[in-house]
Amino acid sequence: MPKDFLGRIVYILQNNGASYLTGARNTMVIAVVSTLIGCIIGFAVGIIQTIPVRKNDNIIKRIVLRIVRFILSAYVEIFRGTPMMAQAMFIYFGSAAVFGINMSMWFAAFFIVSINTGAYMAETVRGGILSIDPGQTEGAKAIGMTHVQTMLYVILPQALRNVMPQIGNNLIINIKDTCVLSTIGIVELFYATRSIAGALYTYFESFSIAMVIYFVLTFACSRLLRYWEDKMDGSDSYDLATTDTLAHTSGLYNYPDKKEEEE
């Protein structure tokens, strides 16, 4: 074992690089898949929580919605108000001890991170939907669109753009928070690093490598998501589509660059 810091770093990478790569791969798979599932859960919960209830609605509909919303609110508050590590221990070990359900470690890992992400995304989606101008909904209803059509074709496309930064934030958080899954035996990046450090007694060097890997993963994901956000924004200059051939709309919406405004 070399005595200098850089020499030990090189030695660890030469002998345990495969373990780091396996841990990083498992971390990314869990984070990406669970974030996608969590977003689906969050959108479903957020949409249900924003279904309008009117006094003239069927009483059965109002009762069912109140019960469902109470259950969903409890789910959101419980999983937002407790740490993921406690949730992992409770779900993985508790389900086997109390209900006799023996989950595989991988199923438990995806399940835990997904429902945790879904709880945070539910409130984000609810806020994103409510942030859309009510006039959008009123206009859609005025032309005969149902609530489902209004949500699918008018509200959700706009809400999705509003919540994109939070989706990216949740992905980055999940990349880091997968380390808590080491408590149930998942060999992710933190688990692999701890094993290497314990075997070689090189805690500082081993975790220095892990920190660099975590930073590379989160930074790359944040740049890719920022690029996707920019693509969703579309062009700064576009033409308004119209069926009136007499109306000249070319260049009607043209937003100058910031540099031009400053000049």
Side-chain angles (χ1 to χ4, degrees), residues 20-33:
Y20 277 112
L21 290 176
T22 300
R25 181 198 64 198
N26 293 344
T27 291
M28 286 302 299
V29 169
I30 295 171
V32 172
V33 173

Side-chain angles (χ1 to χ4, degrees), residues 43 47 129 132-133 135-141 143-161:
F43 269 91
I47 290 170
I129 292 173
I132 305 302
D133 188 349
Q136 302 272 343
T137 302
E138 294 170 3
K141 295 291 179 66
I143 61 174
M145 297 179 73
T146 64
H147 178 72
V148 175
Q149 291 174 327
T150 302
M151 293 299 296
L152 287 177
Y153 302 117
V154 179
I155 304 301
L156 286 182
Q158 299 177 72
L160 176 61
R161 176 61 188 86

